[in-house]
Structures are given as C-alpha cells and as structure tokens.
Amino acid sequence: MIFSQRDVDILKLLCWCQFIQPRDLKGLASEAERKNLMGLGLVRRHEKSGTLLLTSMGQLLLEHLLDSAVSQTTRAYHPPLMERRIRVSRLVVTAYHGGVNPFTLGPEELDGPAALFLPSIARSKGSNPWGSTRVAAIARLGDSLYAAHYVCPGIGKVALMDELAAFSNQTARFRDVGRAFIFAGASYQSVLTELERPMDRKDTKLLTYGGAYRCLQLPVHLLSCDATGAVQLQIMAAPDYRARLTKAALKNQYRPPPEDVPEWDAIFQGVPFLMAADMDLRRINAAIRAARNRGLPQIAMAALEGQAEQVLFPRCRDKNLARVFVLTADAIRAVTGRNPVPYVSPRTQFLTAKGEVADAPLIQANRKT
C-alpha cells in the first residue's frame, strides 16, 4: 500500500486533535479509507466515546515521515477534557477544509496567509503561557490574527481580561496586523443561542460568552463548523477580502461608499451595501443603524447561501431591514482563486521532504459479515 497525501493528512489531523468523531471526517475520508488505516494498526476507535485516535504505531510513522515535526501532546481521557478536544477538532477540521494549515507547532509559525495554532500543544510543555484561558486556537487569516473560541449552549463562562491578555502577549511579535475574535460552533444558530443569553452582572471577572460578546471592542466573527464555514475561512484568508469580494459581486454596479461610514462597503442601486460573508454581526447591525440615521429604511448585503438561510434571512430580510443576496461561485472564485467548496487533499502519493514515498503492506480493511 502506498500512502496518499490524504492518508497522511488524516493521521496528522488525529495527531493534532487527539480525538475526532468519524462523522467529522466524512468529508475527507471514506469509511473504506478509515478502515484501511485501522487495519494497518495506525488508527483505532475509542470504545466509550466512539472517536478515532492515532495509535502509537501511527505516531511513530508520522514522526518518521515528518522528521519528528509533529505534535507531542499527552492524551487525556477525562470526559470533560475529551469533550473539549472533540469540539476543538471540529474547528480544526473546518480550518483544514478552508485551506488553513492547522499543523503548526508554535504561534511563531502564524506568519503565513492562512495558518492555525492550537494553544493546547504548548500547555503540556513546561511553563504554560496560556494559563487557564479557553481559547481553542489562534488563526492567521490574511491581514489579521484571530482568537478562536468554540461556543455552544451551556459552554460556561470566560475570563475576558485573561483571554485578551494572553492573546496580546502571545502574538506580540506580529505587528501591523489586525486583531479579532472568532466564535465557532456546530452551526451559526448554535453560537447565537449562547450569545443571546442574558448577561449575568453578579460576577465581574467571569462572563458568559454573550456577556463577552457585548463587552469586546474587537470584531467578533461567527463561524459554523461545516462546509459553509470552510468557504467563509477561504474568503477571510484572502487579503482585503471585503473590498475585493464586493467589487467582484457588484461588478459595474459598484459605487464607492461614503468615507464617513466605514460599515458600508459600497453603494448598490442607490442603497448602502455590506459584504456579510465574514459574519461580523455587530458590523451588520452598525451598517443598518447608519442607514436608518440617514433616513434609509433598508440596506443590501451579500453572503454565502448557508449564512443567508440560517441567519440573515430571518434576522434581516424577513424584518425588512435588508435585501440579502447570495454570493455566486464566480465572485468567490475571483477573490480566493479556488472553487468555493471544502478543500480535500488529493489521493496522489505522499512524498516526504526528501522526495521519498511511504508504503506499507496492503492490509484489506475488515468488513462486516
């Protein structure tokens, strides 16, 4: 058996994430491909959680193929820690499908246009610079750095000032880049359900994520851990994506926005236009308020189909606040340089840094009788 690039990427994802639900790998690996890796003794299933794990043999193989440049975190089987790892794995897999490199070993590797670093890698190595923060990942997308958190109903509270301090301190080496947050979840609605909880003012240090959302001065982008979220990341990884995607979508109907309203990206058919594909809801709300302050009852906006259906139709279109358009594949392709679908690595043979192939005896996957 000759290992493909896809085989090795599956092993790498399991190494960095530790626990991944099989359904979360469905877009990357078929059941037969997963069973082949299990038959080779490189992957196994954890009985209690049903997740997939990398075996010690799989770890050794990766270390050989990647010249030991692999994550070395200690696997913990405590249920709350496992559940956190599973949630983070959904974000990592979405980033992978979005063309964002999640296989980094330190925040210093976030100097490329699209990369992701997991602070959990550093937590088990001597001093822990991240403390008890709840940040799931630090992402570099285009011209900005993002502190990514996984948010779902009942996720608990967060010490916002500690999060901001760790984010600032651990990314201080990067100058002249923007800073923002990503609140990711199983769906946009899942994130919004938690964000819309009433703010608890009894505790001045710990806030619900809804409270943190209201207090943050930095932009906050919502992200669904699915195919729509993967395309959103592809867009956000492109430099100056808002202006470029706005012009690609409006074409000859594009008119520049007034300089004193930064929330608008253009004027379209006489009304303010907003590029909403990055799901910055506060910016959307600010654009609507700015229009109303100028006597304009509606704005126009464009987003991905899944974003429009889940969030923008019920919140904006159905309340007559905005005309909502779905971005075309051609407009997205003009900015990202790729088709707006989740990235999947090819089945071409994997080559090491030395140009060598990796092979193993073919072991037929076990099948049910």
Side-chain angles (χ1 to χ4, degrees):
M1 172 182 175
I2 302 294
F3 287 103
S4 68
Q5 181 64 57
R6 190 175 305 183
D7 292 327
V8 175
D9 280 358
I10 294 170
L11 298 179
K12 289 165 69 176
L13 284 169
L14 289 169
C15 178
W16 262 257
C17 296
Q18 295 192 354
F19 303 94
I20 302 181
Q21 290 286 1
R23 64 176 177 270
D24 294 330
L25 285 177
K26 186 175 278 189
L28 175 61
S30 66
E31 185 177 0
E33 287 172 316
R34 295 197 305 268
K35 285 185 174 181
N36 271 331
L37 294 175
M38 295 174 72
L40 288 167
L42 305 175
V43 176
R44 69 178 179 89
R45 186 185 294 269
H46 184 250
E47 291 186 6
K48 289 186 178 180
S49 65
T51 57
L52 298 177
L53 288 73
L54 189 69
T55 65
S56 56
M57 187 184 299
Q59 180 79 18
L60 289 171
L61 175 63
L62 270 187
E63 291 176 3
H64 171 70
L65 297 179
L66 305 179
D67 291 329
S68 298
V70 299
S71 170
Q72 300 287 347
T73 51
T74 302
R75 187 180 294 144
Y77 293 92
H78 191 50
L81 292 177
M82 287 181 61
E83 182 58 34
R84 173 177 169 80
R85 289 285 193 171
I86 292 169
R87 288 169 176 163
V88 173
S89 75
R90 296 182 185 126
L91 171 61
V92 174
V93 172
T94 302
Y96 174 85
H97 284 310
V100 180
N101 173 30
F103 307 124
T104 61
L105 297 174
E108 64 276 2
E109 296 184 33
L110 298 177
D111 56 354
L116 189 85
F117 168 67
L118 299 176
S120 57
I121 293 175
R123 293 182 193 273
S124 59
K125 295 180 179 179
S127 62
N128 176 18
W130 298 93
S132 58
T133 57
R134 302 193 65 165
V135 62
I138 302 296
R140 174 67 180 266
L141 302 174
D143 305 322
S144 295
L145 286 165
Y146 300 83
H149 289 245
Y150 193 93
V151 179
C152 61
I155 191 63
K157 295 184 177 183
V158 61
L160 182 57
M161 297 308 296
D162 292 348
E163 298 290 342
L164 289 168
F167 183 30
S168 176
N169 292 339
Q170 297 306 311
T171 60
R173 60 173 57 85
F174 299 103
R175 303 182 183 277
D176 301 323
V177 296
R179 298 289 197 282
F181 276 70
I182 289 176
F183 284 176
S187 66
Y188 295 109
Q189 189 55 52
S190 174
V191 179
L192 285 169
T193 298
E194 178 63 20
L195 296 189
E196 291 172 347
R197 286 180 55 195
M199 186 173 176
D200 185 1
R201 299 186 180 276
K202 295 180 180 179
D203 194 332
T204 58
K205 179 176 175 60
L206 296 177
L207 299 172
T208 64
Y209 270 96
Y213 177 74
R214 294 172 182 86
C215 292
L216 274 169
Q217 299 299 310
L218 295 175
V220 179
H221 303 262
L222 307 190
L223 179 73
S224 60
C225 293
D226 55 18
T228 299
V231 177
Q232 177 183 335
L233 292 178
Q234 292 173 9
I235 292 171
M236 293 175 66
D240 197 23
Y241 65 86
R242 280 188 187 136
R244 294 171 60 203
L245 190 52
T246 296
K247 292 176 181 178
L250 300 184
K251 297 181 180 179
N252 59 0
Q253 297 192 69
Y254 169 84
R255 299 293 182 273
E259 293 183 357
D260 60 339
V261 190
E263 296 85 5
W264 298 349
D265 295 308
I267 298 297
F268 170 63
Q269 296 181 352
V271 300
F273 177 88
L274 174 75
M275 180 51 62
D278 59 4
M279 290 304 288
D280 183 348
L281 290 191
R282 284 204 305 228
R283 188 169 185 264
I284 293 173
N285 293 335
I288 293 172
R289 285 195 303 270
R292 290 196 161 187
N293 290 339
R294 296 191 175 205
L296 301 171
Q298 271 194 338
I299 67 171
M301 64 178 68
L304 300 174
E305 183 176 6
Q307 297 168 341
E309 292 177 348
Q310 293 184 48
V311 181
L312 301 179
F313 286 165
R315 288 175 170 264
C316 300
R317 185 197 64 178
D318 297 349
K319 295 179 181 179
N320 295 318
L321 299 175
R323 297 165 61 194
V324 180
F325 299 91
V326 173
L327 289 165
T328 65
D330 286 343
I332 299 170
R333 193 182 299 113
V335 174
T336 64
R338 61 171 66 184
N339 291 325
V341 295
Y343 166 79
V344 177
S345 55
R347 287 195 175 95
T348 54
Q349 65 185 19
F350 172 81
L351 296 177
T352 68
K354 299 177 181 178
E356 300 172 345
V357 299
D359 58 14
L362 177 63
I363 300 178
Q364 187 177 4
N366 296 324
R367 293 188 174 92
K368 295 182 178 180
T369 58

